[in-house]
Amino acid sequence: MVDPDFQNLLAEVDWECRRRSIPMIGPHKARKLAEWIGEARPNLVVEVGTAIGYSGLWIADTLRRLSQGRLITLEQDEQRALEAQRYFERAGLADRITIMVGDAREKIALVRGPIDVLFLDGGFANYYPCFERARPQLANGAWLIADNVAIGAAEMSDYLDWVRRHCPSRTEWFDTDLQWVQRDAMEVSIYQTRTGA
């Protein structure tokens, strides 16, 4: 059942991101992300790149509907993290979400897993360093979901090269209605702990 208050809050955050040109995944990719979270049925999701909480709201709402799991989300900008926290509280989701503020490449090493879903949506060059630091905590069969793999392919080539060589991976394309990008892709990979270096 759709909660109109939650939908209105999502619309508010969506509008704020567009108005202020704050990067976000947008509704097309967000619906697919929620679908993947539902399939994965995770106990722990780690997101790199909170911004003001748009994708975090989608993730945590999916966890609420699953009646399981929590989200740890990492954001470098303290003001954006505070804004996201306010949205999480308004949505009644704050009890499922922990925000870690600082450099994700350092903070992610503090996360204690197992991590069932790793969602990479921050600085493109940080995807591989964040993955490497999180790797010891990844569950066998963890979902690795990377956003912006079309527009950011060059900067995240080390990450994409690794997952495409070592994991079952697929690229999914999306047409979006975002002013900064009209077509982009997400990469979904399934991590196996026995994969080589």
Side-chain angles (χ1 to χ4, degrees):
M1 181 176 174
V2 175
D3 179 345
D5 291 336
F6 182 72
Q7 293 301 316
N8 289 338
L9 183 62
L10 273 181
E12 179 183 330
V13 181
D14 181 293
W15 182 81
E16 278 295 318
C17 289
R18 292 170 195 268
R19 183 179 71 83
R20 293 155 53 191
S21 295
I22 297 172
M24 67 162 176
I25 61 174
H28 301 85
K29 289 194 241 179
R31 281 190 287 273
K32 178 56 75 169
L33 177 62
E35 182 182 311
W36 288 332
I37 297 293
E39 286 181 43
R41 301 189 66 84
N43 290 313
L44 177 59
V45 179
V46 174
E47 173 188 44
V48 175
T50 314
I52 63 170
Y54 183 77
S55 52
L57 287 166
W58 281 87
I59 293 167
D61 181 60
T62 303
L63 297 175
R64 174 167 56 189
R65 288 186 280 108
L66 290 171
S67 299
Q68 70 178 67
R70 62 193 178 96
L71 168 65
I72 296 175
T73 182
L74 296 91
E75 174 56 43
Q76 186 165 318
D77 186 306
E78 187 174 359
Q79 291 308 308
R80 286 187 176 178
L82 288 170
E83 195 170 350
Q85 182 65 35
R86 289 193 291 270
Y87 284 125
F88 296 155
E89 288 169 0
R90 286 175 56 192
L93 292 167
D95 61 330
R96 289 194 180 272
I97 305 171
T98 301
I99 303 176
M100 298 177 73
V101 180
D103 187 329
R105 293 167 297 182
E106 298 170 4
K107 294 292 183 179
I108 203 165
L110 304 177
V111 173
R112 292 294 163 256
I115 300 168
D116 302 301
V117 175
L118 176 62
F119 177 46
L120 297 167
D121 191 24
F124 304 153
N126 292 337
Y127 282 28
Y128 188 71
C130 286
F131 162 70
E132 274 295 307
R133 297 299 296 275
R135 198 168 156 196
Q137 299 299 325
L138 290 173
N140 189 46
W143 290 54
L144 310 176
I145 303 172
D147 191 22
N148 303 124
V149 302
I151 64 171
E155 290 178 77
M156 63 179 78
S157 61
D158 48 359
Y159 170 80
L160 293 174
D161 180 62
W162 196 95
V163 295
R164 289 170 179 173
R165 282 190 295 113
H166 295 95
C167 305
S169 298
R170 70 181 187 274
T171 305
E172 296 224 5
W173 287 87
F174 299 84
D175 293 315
T176 79
D177 62 350
L178 301 171
Q179 64 264 37
W180 50 83
V181 59
Q182 279 69 56
R183 185 162 169 76
D184 199 6
M186 299 173 85
E187 188 89 0
V188 182
S189 309
I190 305 300
Y191 179 79
Q192 304 294 332
T193 54
R194 66 180 178 276
T195 56

